[in-house]
Amino acid sequence: MNMSSADQQYLQLIHKVLNQSISGSELDELYRLMAEDENRIDLYLFLTQSKSISGKKTIPKETRYERSKQKFMSAAVSQEPVIAQPIEPERKVRKYRFSIAAVIIFFILAIGVTYIYMPVASNDSITLVSAKGERKFYRLKDGTEIWLNGESQLEYNTSYGHSNRDVKLSGEAYFNVAKNKNLPFHVDSYGNRIEVLGTQFNVRAYPEEQKMETALIEGKVNLQIKDNGKYRQYIMLPGDKIEVTNIMTNAMRISKNRQNTSPDNTQVIIDMKKATATNGEQLDILWTKNKLVFQNDPLELMTKKMERWYNKTIVIENERLMNESFTGVFEEKTCKDLLDLLIKTGVNLHYTEKQDSILIY
């Protein structure tokens, strides 16, 4: 059986995945090879699902293409649009030269992988992760595009795209959902649920912030907020933004623009507003274009965003600065550059650097 060098390299990399010995650079190469031919994705899914790999899977098996921070930054340097553009795998007219079954037989004989095929449990999960200092772009098998901001993760199971399109988010993500009237797309975040058929929206839900923000860019979504075991539904239209604060609490009170609030529970607020836009673009999604945005953010929240953006630890020693709020859109490449710019604009703060940490005083 004749195989191309790319096919041989591809099978060798899968062998390393099954043995859990693949390196980060080798994993990037595997993604590149899969992006070249959809048959490789199908084979990858078959082989990896057939072998039980210990622990929760963090390898995005249904991901067509991933764009890392480094690729974001290189695009910025070359003056190309910084937003992650989906790369459609080239459709080859010719049929694959050998069947999946033949490949598996060859793979077992040539490389010596031995395992017994077992059906994958329906709750088998896949997790996409974006670390601090990263922004990543993924395309799922159904065509849905997802941008993950720093320190975020998205989880879904192996039946995604077949019997469901359910994902669970911790952190921040921008979704461009492929249309499928027969299979709605759901985002679960801390007990709340967003249901769509095909649309574009941004969700921010970092656990430590105790707040979930949903901003709708295009289409329509049904935001379902859990209250005492039941869901309250809010239909959102383009330009709408809803903030749910302290969403882990069951008892809820609803306010519009933080007015007419109920005294029953002062910890949880549902705030409905219009998203802020500049030059025709909503500020909530500018992070997908490598722009760090502060929207009247207190210093504590601002520095938390900077920590995720630049992968730095920031410590605030001057408590008087805690009451300061900041608004702006920034494209500075380093945390130091951003702080220097703030100081030049008249912000009364000082800082010192120590390796990966910054002390503000």
Side-chain angles (χ1 to χ4, degrees), residues 67 71-73 75-77 80-85 288-291 331:
R67 188 163 191 165
K71 293 180 181 178
F72 267 91
M73 300 307 292
V77 172
E80 297 175 357
V82 180
I83 186 170
Q85 297 293 339
T288 66
K289 299 186 176 182
N290 247 29
K291 297 179 181 181
E331 298 182 69

Side-chain angles (χ1 to χ4, degrees), residues 101-303:
V103 172
I104 294 170
I105 294 172
F106 180 84
F107 187 42
I108 292 174
L109 293 176
I111 303 181
V113 177
T114 58
Y115 61 88
I116 300 175
Y117 174 74
M118 296 293 290
V120 178
S122 61
N123 62 352
D124 199 13
S125 63
I126 300 166
T127 303
L128 310 181
V129 178
S130 182
K132 283 185 177 181
E134 295 182 331
R135 270 77 65 197
K136 290 187 176 181
F137 169 74
Y138 297 92
R139 176 187 289 160
L140 302 187
K141 196 170 186 179
D142 69 331
T144 292
E145 299 167 353
I146 299 172
W147 285 254
L148 274 184
N149 208 344
E151 202 175 19
S152 301
Q153 68 177 38
L154 189 85
E155 183 178 336
Y156 58 96
N157 60 41
T158 53
S159 59
Y160 177 92
H162 302 286
S163 61
N164 70 81
R165 292 202 297 168
D166 299 344
V167 300
K168 184 177 181 180
L169 172 69
S170 175
E172 184 169 15
Y174 170 69
F175 299 88
N176 184 4
V177 180
K179 294 182 179 180
N180 186 337
K181 293 182 179 180
N182 299 320
L183 206 60
F185 183 88
H186 297 108
V187 179
D188 289 316
S189 189
Y190 301 102
N192 300 318
R193 165 166 282 206
I194 301 171
E195 180 179 87
V196 302
L197 294 176
T199 189
Q200 299 176 27
F201 60 100
N202 193 80
V203 180
R204 179 182 177 89
Y206 287 101
E208 66 273 18
E209 294 179 9
Q210 296 185 328
K211 177 188 290 187
M212 173 180 169
E213 300 178 356
T214 305
L216 183 60
I217 313 303
E218 181 181 295
K220 182 188 294 185
V221 303
N222 179 7
L223 176 59
Q224 303 169 14
I225 302 173
K226 197 171 186 179
D227 181 11
N228 291 325
K230 298 180 180 180
Y231 285 99
R232 296 187 180 185
Q233 300 189 32
Y234 298 86
I235 302 299
M236 297 179 64
L237 300 177
D240 287 350
K241 182 175 180 178
I242 295 182
E243 297 179 359
V244 184
T245 307
N246 293 339
I247 55 182
M248 293 300 292
T249 307
N250 286 330
M252 291 187 173
R253 63 187 175 94
I254 300 177
S255 68
K256 188 167 185 177
N257 296 327
R258 300 190 183 277
Q259 296 177 356
N260 302 321
T261 58
S262 167
D264 295 337
N265 189 312
T266 59
Q267 295 182 342
V268 177
I269 300 174
I270 301 175
D271 188 7
M272 297 174 286
K273 59 177 71 172
K274 287 294 181 182
T276 305
T278 178
N279 297 324
E281 291 185 302
Q282 287 194 21
L283 295 182
D284 295 280
I285 66 168
L286 288 184
W287 66 266
T288 66
K289 299 186 176 182
N290 247 29
K291 297 179 181 181
L292 179 57
V293 178
F294 306 131
Q295 299 188 60
N296 198 32
D297 294 337
L299 181 63
E300 185 175 9
L301 176 57
M302 184 190 79
T303 54

